[in-house]
Amino acid sequence: MVMRNYRHNTIIYLKCLSDEDCWCIFQRHVNEFSNVSEMRDDIVHKCKGLPLAAKTLGGLLRKAIDKSHRQRILDSNIWSEESSVLPVLRLSYHHLPSHLKHLFAYCFMLPRDYHFQEMEIIKLWMAQGFLPENKNERIEYVGHNCFLDLVSRSLIEEYTPDVEEFIFEEGPRMFTMHDLIHDLAKWAAGDLRYVTDTVNLHNVLKRTRHMYMYVTDTGVNEVVENQLFASHLRTFLYSSSNDLNIEMLNYIQHFRYLRSLCLSSMKIKELPDCIGDLKHLKLLVVLLKQIKVLPKSISKLRNLQTLELSRCSYLQEIQSVGFLVKLRHLSVDYTRLKEMPLGIEKLKILQSLDKFVLAPKEVEDAVEARLHDKDSVDRLHLKWERCWYEVDDNTKRDVLEKLRPHTSIKECKLDGYRGSTLPSWLGDPSFINMVHIRLEECEKCEFLPPLGQLSSLKSLLVKDMNGITEKWVHSPVDNIGGAFPLLEMLSIKYCLSLQGNLLPHLPSLRTLEIKECKNLSVSLPSLHLLEVLNVDGCKILSTTADVIFCSKRMILCNILEIISLNWSFPYLHEEISIVNCLSVPITIDQISMMLRRLKICNCRELQFLELKNLSSSTSRLEELSVDECEFIVSISHIPLTLQSLEIDDCEKLRYEEFNELHFSLESDNDLKTEESIGVSPKDILELILLTKLIIQRFPSLISLQKGLLFPALQTLDLWDCENMEILPGQFLNKVEEYLRILHFPKGSLHLLRNLSLQNVGCCADLVECLPCLDFPLPSSLSQLNIKSFRYLKTIANGNTLPNLTDLHVSDCPKLVSLVSDFTSLTELSLESCPKFCNFIAGLSNVRQLSISGTNIEKPIQEWGLHLLTSLQILKLKNIGSSIECISGLELPSSLYKLHIAGLPNLTTLCCSTLPNLTNIDIYSCPKLESFGDNGLPPRNDHVFISNCHMIEQHLRYDPNGLILTLCGRCSLPLS
């Protein structure tokens, strides 16, 4: 397997998994009660080190009814058949129930790497009639079960974004298909389903029933047009890199058998009336941004089940939906509808409606909606626009009261309501199915309703409700479990006036978030199931419990007073963050040995951080960050399990100690005696897991604890450590009484990728050349950032830094040149190096070059910039007064972005000969008056000019011009 690292233009060859790892993955996906241990060797052999094969085989054997069935799967002839599709994938498809085969094969319609929601694919299945009928269940629920079945078999997998979001802010669950699974679906679909573009369409479409078409800039050619006319498509999903054209819309009337249709365009302003002729259409997705009104013929689509209009951002009117009696899903969110379409009350089987629009003062419309009769609607989202701001309070309240939903509803969201009182039905205990409630930007509401009476409520979000001036009063509840018996997630955010306390009893709570509620006192009861606690910006935090049972993540920020908290969190195993809390004790020494991440920031009272119960043999601590704790003196017993350590702006810190762990070097050639290195081998500590070390604004630091080795370190950042004498990982050799040599022992820092040394004082003061004997650099480096090396004159490479790609140098007053070969370098930045004059030799692969604050006396014609044939981005800023003209002949033809600033005598910029230059930014060049005789480059699409008075006064105003100034768009003067 091969993976490319595009940033560094390298190829990483991935090895197959070990048998043990394959077996672990397989076990995660097979039924825990399945007795397959005796088949282990055969299973591992068939997985061939592929994680997807292990997942899929686990899902397949999980569905096997008994041992003999599992054995038949492993003995199948399919394992020995030759095919472009993995045998385990073909087996998984072969053992699918017949209805699931249709559903899975249809998924080939989705493009590769496409992320989709569950209901998105279920609606497509419904439109084609692929879902088996069940008179006792809604068809959506049947589709849900089928979808989960495919997920359990690893044929569809949940997509997890890289950035973890808080649970209340996350969007709907997204899913995707692995590329090899997509190939399986293609194999299963055969020629009945087709994904293509108009350039590579070779198949004859007579048998094709389902098509996803991606149209390139070339449009639809005549061959494709004729085939579409003759086809019997059931699905047509259309996408374009350019735009949907009118001709494509005219094809629609020929698709007489169509069940599913998706059309996308940024420019088309109307749908043709022929859309109403598609009598069999069940799903219509319209992604036409400019459309304002749907045609009347939409009402002819009597079989339509799903109408998606949510991306028609200019849509103002849907004339009537009363005849769409089979409509189950209507999406009109993010449109500009002024009112709901006529006949909305006739949609008796409507299952989902994401937005309900009411004209101001129209209480009758709310009554006619008859939401209380729609027992199939399980989600209600009501949003008020600005036009409701001037409506009197009684009308607002009456409208909301009349929008009472059926008691079967499960989710309710009120957004932007401007009334002073929330509806009486919101806390009505008859809503026994209500699971989720979100109240957002109801800014004039003066108090919260008695939501604790909702016996099934699991999550509650209250956000941006600044009008609440009364205390949160908890009404008594008659049911046995008390208030909120099943509440698992509670989030209260930006309610600045909310007062009172939390309920004393929340037996099911797992996640609690309080943010920016300045007057709220948070008194934590005993919450035995609590997993996530996030308190940011409240008046008082206290607890009545002896121990806080929070098990995953605890974040305490901006809390004025913390009382009755013993700072003992024995159950936490993921993260503690304590930020800007004034009441933190002087010493913190009770940290769970299971904890993985600890962050402490701006806690002024803290003086001692002791991690003594985190011994290196049992600790799981991976990340430690201590920032802006101005009175902290000591950090002790730091476990050797750390992977990341950050210390920033702790100016009084004097003592930092790692847990002792005696270590014997395999070879003592580098470190022979205590006298020769200044440290005994028995005192050497090896941080075998530490990959990132960041120490910033630490003026008192001379060196870290003696004898530390960093064999796994990849990132090292040292900023503003003016008195540092020895770098982390360096050792001091006493060769003679008067001669001392710094060096890195064998195996130390040999994996270092990123090194940043900025204002590190003594250890850089005598360095004239990098790298050198006194200041060696690891050959593994790919990024190097150095600042304030006062005596540095040259940076040499040769073969010492073969992997260096990024070099940033600043505030080196004596730096003159780069020496030798820098062919690996792709990015170079020089700032405030006034004597620098030689940098072109050996920079043939540099793509980005930035020079600023460097007064280069040599004329720009002699710099040799044109020799940098890979250069794409050039930035020149404050580089002296000698430059009067910059010609395209002096720049490489590969350049596509040019940034110029602070050239006081520049008068002319001639760049019309640069074929790839598309972006130009010019700042503070007061004498610039011309772009030369031929003007701007041929492909230019962006020019920004600021504080260049001479040329700005000659530009002419042009709303479509390519030149952008602070006064608007302009063009060059007409010649």
Side-chain angles (χ1 to χ4, degrees), residues 363-456:
V363 181
E364 293 79 7
D365 288 351
V367 175
E368 291 178 3
R370 302 186 64 83
L371 294 183
H372 60 279
D373 286 339
K374 302 189 184 313
D375 58 356
S376 296
V377 175
D378 54 19
R379 295 192 302 272
L380 177 65
H381 176 189
L382 300 175
K383 182 173 182 178
W384 283 258
E385 304 292 349
R386 290 184 176 274
C387 57
W388 280 84
Y389 286 9
E390 304 303 323
V391 178
D392 67 273
D393 192 66
N394 288 333
T395 301
K396 295 174 185 176
R397 185 170 59 250
D398 289 347
V399 167
L400 189 51
E401 286 288 353
K402 297 299 188 296
L403 289 174
R404 177 188 178 107
H406 192 273
T407 54
S408 62
I409 196 168
K410 296 179 180 178
E411 301 179 19
C412 179
K413 178 179 179 180
L414 306 185
D415 188 351
Y417 173 61
R418 291 300 185 270
S420 60
T421 306
L422 288 166
S424 59
W425 54 261
L426 190 58
D428 191 327
S430 64
F431 286 82
I432 58 174
N433 296 311
M434 186 77 80
V435 177
H436 306 292
I437 292 180
R438 296 174 68 107
L439 306 176
E440 299 188 35
E441 296 188 33
C442 303
E443 295 180 349
K444 294 189 177 181
C445 289
E446 298 175 354
F447 57 88
L448 291 172
L451 299 174
Q453 299 180 110
L454 301 173
S455 58
S456 299

Side-chain angles (χ1 to χ4, degrees), residues 665 667-684 706-707 731-736 741 743 745:
L665 293 173
S667 172
D668 60 356
N669 293 334
D670 289 343
L671 306 174
K672 293 184 179 179
T673 67
E674 183 176 350
E675 290 76 15
S676 67
I677 64 173
V679 61
S680 171
K682 69 180 182 179
D683 295 324
I684 292 173
K706 288 185 178 181
F731 283 78
L732 181 65
N733 277 17
K734 297 180 180 178
V735 179
E736 300 289 348
I741 297 178
H743 79 296

Side-chain angles (χ1 to χ4, degrees), residues 117 233 300 393 677 905:
Q117 299 178 31
L233 291 177
K300 297 180 181 180
D393 192 66
I677 64 173
N905 292 319

Side-chain angles (χ1 to χ4, degrees), residues 883-899:
I883 299 178
E884 297 181 0
C885 176
I886 297 178
S887 169
L889 299 176
E890 298 152 7
L891 303 175
S893 60
S894 56
L895 199 67
Y896 79 82
K897 184 174 183 178
L898 177 62
H899 179 104

Side-chain angles (χ1 to χ4, degrees), residues 69 120 277 290 309 361 496 547 573 645 657 677:
H69 188 193
E120 185 177 352
D277 297 333
Q290 298 293 333
L309 305 168
K361 304 183 181 180
L496 302 183
V547 175
H573 64 263
L645 173 61
E657 177 197 42
I677 64 173

Side-chain angles (χ1 to χ4, degrees), residues 284-344:
L284 176 60
V285 179
V286 181
L287 309 177
L288 306 181
K289 181 178 181 180
Q290 298 293 333
I291 192 170
K292 294 183 179 180
V293 181
L294 286 185
K296 293 181 179 179
S297 60
I298 287 288
S299 62
K300 297 180 181 180
L301 302 176
R302 305 296 175 86
N303 290 304
L304 199 64
Q305 297 175 340
T306 301
L307 179 57
E308 297 271 358
L309 305 168
S310 59
R311 297 187 190 178
C312 302
S313 52
Y314 288 92
L315 183 65
Q316 298 177 6
E317 182 181 358
I318 306 173
Q319 296 189 1
S320 176
V321 294
F323 294 103
L324 306 181
V325 293
K326 295 185 179 181
L327 196 65
R328 304 176 69 87
H329 303 280
L330 176 60
S331 176
V332 293
D333 205 3
Y334 307 110
T335 63
R336 297 186 182 182
L337 289 181
K338 298 177 180 178
E339 58 184 0
M340 293 306 291
L342 294 174
I344 189 72

Side-chain angles (χ1 to χ4, degrees), residues 662-728:
H662 295 310
F663 172 73
S664 299
L665 293 173
E666 293 182 3
S667 172
D668 60 356
N669 293 334
D670 289 343
L671 306 174
K672 293 184 179 179
T673 67
E674 183 176 350
E675 290 76 15
S676 67
I677 64 173
V679 61
S680 171
K682 69 180 182 179
D683 295 324
I684 292 173
L685 298 179
E686 187 177 39
L687 280 76
I688 59 174
L689 300 176
L690 192 70
T691 60
K692 181 168 73 173
L693 175 60
I694 298 177
I695 302 177
Q696 300 177 3
R697 293 179 288 182
F698 198 164
S700 62
L701 180 65
I702 295 176
S703 68
L704 292 182
Q705 179 180 339
K706 288 185 178 181
L708 294 178
L709 288 176
F710 304 92
L713 199 64
Q714 298 181 18
T715 298
L716 173 59
D717 285 359
L718 302 175
W719 292 10
D720 297 334
C721 302
E722 294 91 339
N723 294 301
M724 179 169 279
E725 296 181 356
I726 301 177
L727 295 177

